[in-house]
Amino acid sequence: MTTTPSTAPDVLSPEFAADPYPAYRTMREDFPLIHHHTTGGYIISRYEDVARAFKDPVFTSHNYDWQIEPVHGRTILQMDGREHSVRRALVAPAFRGKDLREKFLPVIERNSRDLIDAFRDAPEADLVGQYATRFPINVIVDMLGLDRADHGRFHVWYTSMIDFLGNLSQDPEVAAAGLRTRDELAAYMIPIIQDRRAHPGDDLLSVLCTAEIDGTRMSDEDIKAFVSLLLAAGGETTDKAIAGLFRNLLAHPEQLAAVREDRALIPAAFAETLRFTPPVHMIFRQPREDVEVSGGTIPAGATVTCLIGAANRDGSRYADPDTFNIFREDLTTGSAFSAAADHLAFALGRHFCVGALLAKTEVEVGVNDLLDAFPTMAFADGEVPAETGVFTRGPGSLRVRLARRA
């Protein structure tokens, strides 16, 4: 039998926004299926149910028609079958293998160094405001071969998109700002896309303009929508992953010391951060028919909120789940950035995050660069970094004391 917010935690409450983890525990244990009357949807929180919602074809992504299409346009997240597989095949090669290593790794390294140079000699810095939230957006702009002078403009658009996607309370001002961003980005991108088709270069946008599979190419609108999605999904996951990773390591100095000593542990620290404090806490799905899950039945066509933040701390899947431990044995680092991942931070199945390896590369470069630049790093005096956000979540700021390398 499903429950209601009168007896179960409410995902729209101030208490939930301040700290959702106690609510997640209550949901998993006592209310694994909640019918949320305010939104009209259903909420699932156990690992087995969330993993199934990502992998079982009965769960569709048709909810994105109303959730993300208004701000992005129609993206690969909404597609099924051959349409999805072809569109994914058109964009995926740029985010793995030779292109990622040889073409875009130098772009990632340059942007990381440029941001660090701005505070390399400072005694303190905010790793969120001065690094993490800027780094992935600057990388995406440069990968696309766009004007570096527009880094700031894209950061504003990115912030507006994330606010729109996380607007669970349907604030009209947030919604209106997201729609303005859609129009502004289209006005900026479409002429550049058309020019790049006529004069392709060696950048990601040219790759998208010229890619072809079985006679299928991406339209101008397809490419604009993918760029919009890339800004939101690619920026938010990396932004909050880097900030969360350092917050978690700084809170566990012995694990930070281990990573400093052995940089091969960085992927394990990233994987554990994705499990312990995932950047995206909620992903939505919509079943094409009635589905039985823990706690009851979800009717066909209902919106299902899949709580990644709860599922990743399910004690039936992970030992001591509320403890950050980069050495845990029940999380496989080798598969943590693929569709075979143990954690659910990148989803699973056919809609597994196409940019997971890009995020991994950015995190590895960023963590290495910051540790190399600053042999001493600790929370600034009085700093108690707090997570913010409901749909996506991470430290709002991360002030640290620094000692630079001579």
Side-chain angles (χ1 to χ4, degrees):
M1 177 179 292
T2 58
T3 57
T4 66
S6 62
T7 55
D10 182 4
V11 297
L12 297 182
S13 69
E15 295 78 14
F16 183 88
D19 182 5
Y21 297 105
Y24 288 158
R25 186 181 309 111
T26 300
M27 290 176 178
R28 287 192 309 266
E29 294 176 357
D30 300 324
F31 308 108
L33 179 63
I34 296 172
H35 181 218
H36 195 278
H37 288 302
T38 302
T39 63
Y42 291 76
I43 303 172
I44 57 176
S45 52
R46 290 182 179 174
Y47 183 97
E48 62 176 349
D49 292 326
V50 175
R52 180 188 173 195
F54 292 155
K55 293 188 293 185
D56 190 333
V58 73
F59 287 92
T60 75
S61 56
H62 295 164
N63 53 281
Y64 287 136
D65 294 351
W66 59 263
Q67 186 198 5
I68 72 171
E69 186 167 341
V71 71
H72 289 318
R74 193 164 185 269
T75 72
I76 58 174
L77 295 182
Q78 297 158 260
M79 299 174 186
D80 293 310
R82 185 179 184 279
E83 182 187 29
H84 172 264
S85 62
V86 170
R87 289 299 190 283
R88 188 177 177 99
L90 286 168
V91 303
F95 298 95
R96 62 176 184 243
K98 183 177 179 181
D99 274 359
L100 182 56
R101 290 192 309 272
E102 298 182 6
K103 187 181 295 184
F104 299 128
L105 180 58
V107 174
I108 295 168
E109 293 171 336
R110 182 184 69 233
N111 277 286
S112 178
R113 289 193 304 267
D114 287 351
L115 288 168
I116 291 173
D117 283 346
F119 58 88
R120 193 179 295 272
D121 297 323
E124 287 191 4
D126 175 8
L127 292 187
V128 174
Q130 293 175 259
Y131 187 85
T133 195
R134 302 281 173 176
F135 178 38
I137 301 305
N138 294 359
V139 167
I140 289 167
V141 171
D142 290 2
M143 286 176 65
L144 290 166
L146 303 174
D147 191 341
R148 299 194 84 210
D150 289 328
H151 281 173
R153 180 188 296 193
F154 274 89
H155 188 267
V156 171
W157 285 337
Y158 153 71
T159 302
S160 175
M161 290 174 190
I162 294 304
D163 289 345
F164 181 93
L165 297 175
N167 188 22
L168 301 181
S169 63
Q170 297 299 301
D171 184 315
E173 292 186 6
V174 172
L179 298 181
R180 284 195 304 272
T181 291
R182 174 199 62 194
D183 295 339
E184 291 171 6
L185 181 64
Y188 177 99
M189 287 300 309
I190 295 297
I192 297 176
I193 291 168
Q194 293 171 345
D195 180 72
R196 210 62 59 91
R197 286 195 192 280
H199 307 96
D202 196 36
D203 51 79
L204 175 58
L205 191 57
S206 295
V207 171
L208 298 176
C209 287
T210 57
E212 182 175 340
I213 292 180
D214 297 334
T216 298
R217 300 179 69 176
M218 297 175 72
S219 69
D220 293 354
E221 176 59 28
D222 288 338
I223 295 171
K224 187 276 297 179
F226 182 75
V227 169
S228 182
L229 177 65
L230 181 60
L231 283 171
E236 187 73 346
T237 52
T238 306
D239 166 3
K240 290 187 164 44
I242 292 175
L245 187 153
F246 272 98
R247 193 277 307 274
N248 292 335
L249 288 178
L250 289 165
H252 299 83
E254 72 291 347
Q255 295 186 54
L256 174 59
V259 172
R260 278 194 182 278
E261 181 67 24
D262 181 5
R263 301 298 176 82
L265 289 172
I266 292 175
F270 183 24
E272 175 65 348
T273 293
L274 291 172
R275 184 202 68 82
F276 184 66
T277 49
V280 179
H281 275 232
M282 302 176 181
I283 287 182
F284 301 91
R285 289 291 185 263
Q286 183 175 311
R288 64 177 81 251
E289 59 189 52
D290 292 358
V291 178
E292 291 290 331
V293 296
S294 302
T297 302
I298 301 173
T303 297
V304 183
T305 302
C306 307
L307 292 180
I308 294 171
N312 273 355
R313 293 200 185 193
D314 192 330
S316 69
R317 178 61 184 81
Y318 301 104
D320 201 9
D322 293 320
T323 297
F324 178 80
N325 177 15
I326 66 174
F327 302 106
R328 65 170 53 250
E329 297 180 353
D330 49 12
L331 185 66
T332 308
T333 301
S335 61
F337 313 102
S338 73
D342 301 323
H343 64 83
L344 304 178
F346 287 137
L348 295 173
R350 64 194 182 283
H351 288 296
F352 177 80
C353 177
V354 71
L357 290 180
L358 172 62
K360 177 177 182 285
T361 303
E362 290 175 316
V363 168
E364 290 179 344
V365 168
V367 173
N368 269 305
D369 284 354
L370 285 164
L371 294 181
D372 286 344
F374 306 109
T376 300
M377 183 186 297
F379 290 129
D381 293 342
E383 176 72 345
V384 182
E387 287 186 343
T388 61
V390 175
F391 175 66
T392 60
R393 190 171 179 85
S397 66
L398 187 59
R399 293 188 305 110
V400 292
R401 286 186 289 106
L402 303 169
R404 72 180 180 92
R405 190 173 300 279

